[in-house]
Amino acid sequence: MAPTTALDIIAQPLTLPCGLFLPNRLVKCPMQETLAQGPFYDPPIPSFKNLYKQWAQASYGLIITGQVQIDIRYLSIVGDVVCHEKSLEEPHLSMWREWAKIAQERGTPCIVQLAHPGRMSPAGAGERPAGVMPICPSSVPVKLGDTWLDKMALQKVLGTPRECTMEDIDTVVAGWVHGAVVAREAGFAGCQLHGAHGFLLSQFLSPHTNRRTDEYGGTPEKRMTLLRRLIREIREVCPPPYCLSVKLNSADYMTNAGLSQDEGLEQVKWLVECGMVDFVEVSGGNAEQTGSKLHNSFAEKTIEKAPAMEESTRIREAYFTEFAERVQALDSKVPIQLSGGFRSRTGMADAIDSGVCQLIGLGRTAVLDPDIPKTILLNPSIPDEEALSQSHIVRGQWFANMIPVKVVGAGLAIQFFYYNMRRLGNGLKSSKDASIPYIVFESIMEIFRSGLTQTVERVLQSFPLQRQKVD
């Protein structure tokens, strides 16, 4: 019997092609936790006991971890977890196993998102020597702003990436395969390859950053060579029931360049037809984009009241619905996850009922209201008109707009969510009223406190302490 209510629709279980059973259609999207510490950037278990326990108890159908970088030299932000060359050895593997246990303690499966930032790896994020530049398919620097100040700041923070050599490509492939194996050995249900938002895999898929003329670039077909190689080599060592997912851009949403929706559709088409992928997550945009709703949604409320489901009028709540509709026209048997913009139970149910997607991704909502599936969306005592996540305006964006350097100001709004994940990791609740100026001030004070503590420790260690000799 077909489900008839919005609650019934999103509560439907789903079995992926690999055989992995999902108890419902709600997915906790990957969001960078920024909680790991050097020199190894292993899973920070004390913090994850607080953070992932909340998600584990919240009745999601699937949990996708925050980004795990596959190369310790290249992080996208300080605090990324890293799958390094010793991750399969002790004591590192035990931390991974503890993470998998915490995330799946209530029966919800969890997969690990594996990533490489490529040219988006800033100086100081990662264990690489000074002067070693980040990598990119072609030597195409990030452009954010046109002023001399923007250009100087970008050169200091990101610099001009060097073009990947064949050895570099072999190294990143080995890193992704190694990450997939670590996830399996730790007890996770699988992994997701991050091929969106301007990271390295996305850079290979985009004509803007991939200007190569060898087998890894030059045509839409060749730009997919790295993606195809990753899928095949991971499947060789991690066959079903291991879950393998890919997150892709629907487009780069750039004004004059970048990945188009037509080329993005061809990439998804290969994934859903290759027989090796269990679901595809659709997103969009990159650091240079100007048109993606996902990256321009911090300053507006998208919904105040949940809309009613009507067969004649689709709700179209998600940001990338139009592209997802084109994907479904492929008549794919591989589930599609649509992420970005969902707020209401009825909007989520409408997307599934109309065939636009089979899985609903919740990202920022999972940070501000980590238990929302259990308390609201899947709670039968909450009526449809009240079953929604209130859209949220990040306060204090005037502060970001005042900063003359775009590479700094443009990244401040997302710091609101990093800040709240750190709060959750510390056993606190999310602070929805925290403003950008307050978060910046707190960060400065934390740097000061940490520096002061280290200075005091060094001073104390320098004192000639009198110790009694023992013969």
Side-chain angles (χ1 to χ4, degrees), residues 51-344:
L51 180 60
Y52 275 85
K53 186 172 184 177
Q54 292 193 58
W55 288 327
Q57 295 176 347
S59 299
Y60 288 92
L62 176 69
I63 295 171
I64 307 177
T65 71
Q67 286 178 29
V68 170
Q69 306 304 336
I70 61 164
D71 191 325
I72 200 167
R73 297 172 297 173
Y74 304 105
L75 276 63
S76 67
I77 190 172
V78 174
D80 280 342
V81 175
V82 175
C83 183
H84 51 79
E85 61 182 9
K86 296 183 181 295
S87 290
L88 284 173
E89 303 174 12
E90 295 298 348
H92 312 288
L93 184 57
S94 290
M95 300 180 202
W96 276 82
R97 286 175 169 163
E98 183 66 16
W99 184 15
K101 181 180 177 182
I102 295 166
Q104 300 174 119
E105 67 178 16
R106 293 296 180 92
T108 297
C110 180
I111 65 174
V112 177
Q113 187 186 71
L114 300 173
H116 190 305
R119 68 175 185 155
M120 299 304 298
S121 179
E127 300 294 318
R128 66 177 185 265
V132 175
M133 303 310 294
I135 59 175
C136 185
S138 303
S139 184
V140 181
V142 176
K143 183 179 179 181
L144 277 174
D146 298 314
T147 70
W148 68 269
L149 207 53
D150 286 317
K151 294 174 182 177
M152 182 181 71
L154 275 170
Q155 190 60 33
K156 290 290 185 183
V157 175
L158 295 174
T160 300
R162 63 179 179 84
E163 180 174 311
C164 287
T165 64
M166 288 299 180
E167 183 179 357
D168 290 326
I169 293 173
D170 290 342
T171 298
V172 298
V173 170
W176 255 300
V177 173
H178 175 65
V181 171
V182 170
R184 182 192 68 198
E185 294 304 302
F188 286 99
C191 73
Q192 180 184 72
L193 310 184
H194 189 0
H197 301 169
F199 279 59
L200 184 62
L201 185 51
S202 175
Q203 292 162 26
F204 269 90
L205 294 170
S206 172
H208 173 59
T209 42
N210 187 347
R211 305 175 187 180
R212 304 173 72 96
T213 56
D214 57 12
E215 64 262 44
Y216 287 92
T219 66
E221 181 83 6
K222 289 182 178 180
R223 284 192 284 271
M224 291 185 64
T225 301
L226 178 60
L227 176 62
R228 288 192 177 103
R229 182 179 170 188
L230 287 173
I231 297 295
R232 292 189 178 111
E233 293 196 22
I234 289 174
R235 267 303 182 217
E236 285 178 4
V237 295
C238 297
Y242 186 94
C243 175
L244 179 56
S245 168
V246 178
K247 180 171 187 168
L248 282 187
N249 270 1
S250 53
D252 284 345
Y253 296 97
M254 299 176 68
T255 304
N256 299 315
L259 180 72
S260 67
Q261 282 201 11
D262 288 341
E263 188 170 342
L265 186 66
E266 287 301 310
Q267 294 168 0
V268 175
K269 185 175 186 291
W270 183 83
L271 288 175
V272 300
E273 292 178 353
C274 71
M276 293 179 281
V277 173
D278 295 300
F279 73 94
V280 177
E281 180 183 357
V282 172
S283 190
N286 62 34
E288 297 171 297
Q289 60 80 39
T290 57
S292 165
K293 292 181 180 179
L294 176 64
H295 295 79
N296 292 295
S297 59
F298 297 108
E300 62 180 6
K301 285 195 174 185
T302 56
I303 190 172
E304 294 286 353
K305 182 180 178 182
M309 283 183 66
E310 298 177 9
E311 193 167 332
S312 60
T313 305
R314 290 302 177 188
I315 296 175
R316 300 174 67 85
E317 201 169 75
Y319 296 140
F320 307 108
T321 298
E322 178 185 348
F323 182 80
E325 288 174 339
R326 295 183 67 187
V327 171
Q328 288 306 326
L330 301 173
D331 195 25
S332 164
K333 304 300 181 186
V334 174
I336 300 298
Q337 175 183 325
L338 195 53
S339 303
F342 285 113
R343 294 290 178 268
S344 67

